[in-house]
Amino acid sequence: MTLVLISLLAAVATWIAALAYRRVWKRLDPRGRGPPGFGAVLAPALLTAALLGGASRALCLALAAATVGSLIYWIDDAREMSARVRVAIAAITGLAIGAAYFLEAGLSLPVLVVLLMLAAFVHLALVNTINMQDGADLNLPVFVLLTGALLLAYGGGSTDWRTAAIACLAFTAPFALQNRRPRSIYFGDSVGLAFAALFTIMGAAFLTGGAQPPEGGAHARLPRGGRACGPPPPI
């Protein structure tokens, strides 16, 4: 499936999902608050794009962990969770992302433990940093859009980063259009976990050589654990 088709499907799906989310939230919340928590959908969007685009196995596993973590973290947007629970979810998600990349990298046990702990700490720190941007909800969509654009421009032709870029752009643009009206729809804190996961994945991929150069390049290589998880390329 071409990336153009994936991007169009993702944009249409995001638009429909946002409309449905707003309608369901208004029925379930008698207080009439603007519906928060739609940002939890970013991680499933990234995972779906990775699967359809034939991204590496490590990226798919890492995004699966981010998806589970984001959907659990969504509870904090619907009804507040304690700080300890939020910290635990963020740290465990970071640990799982690190495991997706580091377990098959052939590292010694001490190095593996240090890197896994580092992934958990970095992800936790990023979640808290990103969630400080709550003042104006369009701040985060701008950051996500810029991240997608930079990945598309400087991703080096890697399938992993092309699919991530397409998902960021196709997910955020429809959301921003619906968010232009006051109290319409909000990312909420759950987007912080998904967006932090993307940056943690970038760091883990960099450390393990998981961001391959363009296909056919002189130094192209497939790291251990980097088997494609999506459909095989056409013959």
Side-chain angles (χ1 to χ4, degrees):
M1 187 177 293
T2 66
L3 291 178
V4 174
L5 182 56
I6 291 174
S7 63
L8 290 175
L9 290 173
V12 172
T14 299
W15 183 268
I16 295 173
L19 289 175
Y21 190 83
R22 288 168 55 189
R23 186 164 297 183
V24 171
W25 183 272
K26 287 180 180 178
R27 290 186 178 182
L28 295 179
D29 185 14
R31 292 172 291 178
R33 295 183 300 160
F38 187 70
V41 183
L42 175 59
L46 288 166
L47 176 59
T48 302
L51 291 168
L52 294 177
S56 69
R57 177 172 175 267
L59 178 63
C60 293
L61 290 174
L63 288 175
T67 296
V68 173
S70 295
L71 294 178
I72 296 174
Y73 209 86
W74 174 85
I75 299 173
D76 185 56
D77 289 317
R79 64 177 61 185
E80 241 176 278
M81 295 189 298
S82 69
R84 289 184 179 180
V85 174
R86 294 197 303 270
V87 167
I89 294 170
I92 291 171
T93 302
L95 192 68
I97 290 170
Y101 278 92
F102 300 140
L103 285 181
E104 297 186 31
L107 303 170
S108 63
L109 183 59
V111 174
L112 176 62
V113 171
V114 169
L115 288 178
L116 289 175
M117 293 300 103
L118 180 62
F121 174 78
V122 167
H123 188 256
L124 174 60
L126 286 171
V127 170
N128 288 329
T129 302
I130 292 169
N131 280 338
M132 290 179 184
Q133 305 296 321
D134 283 342
D137 207 53
L138 272 180
N139 287 347
L140 281 176
V142 168
F143 289 144
V144 178
L145 281 170
L146 288 175
T147 300
L150 288 172
L151 283 174
L152 203 57
Y154 300 106
S158 166
T159 299
D160 282 9
W161 304 140
R162 283 203 306 265
T163 55
I166 289 298
C168 285
L169 295 172
F171 173 80
T172 310
F175 167 84
L177 288 174
Q178 295 203 31
N179 180 255
R180 72 189 186 279
R181 290 179 292 181
R183 298 181 63 186
S184 54
I185 190 167
Y186 301 106
F187 265 167
D189 287 345
S190 51
V191 76
L193 191 137
F195 198 32
L198 182 57
F199 283 104
T200 306
I201 287 169
M202 290 180 196
F206 174 78
L207 291 176
T208 58
Q212 293 91 35
E215 289 84 350
H219 304 288
R221 62 191 178 92
L222 186 67
R224 293 180 63 187
R227 299 182 297 276
C229 63
I235 299 175

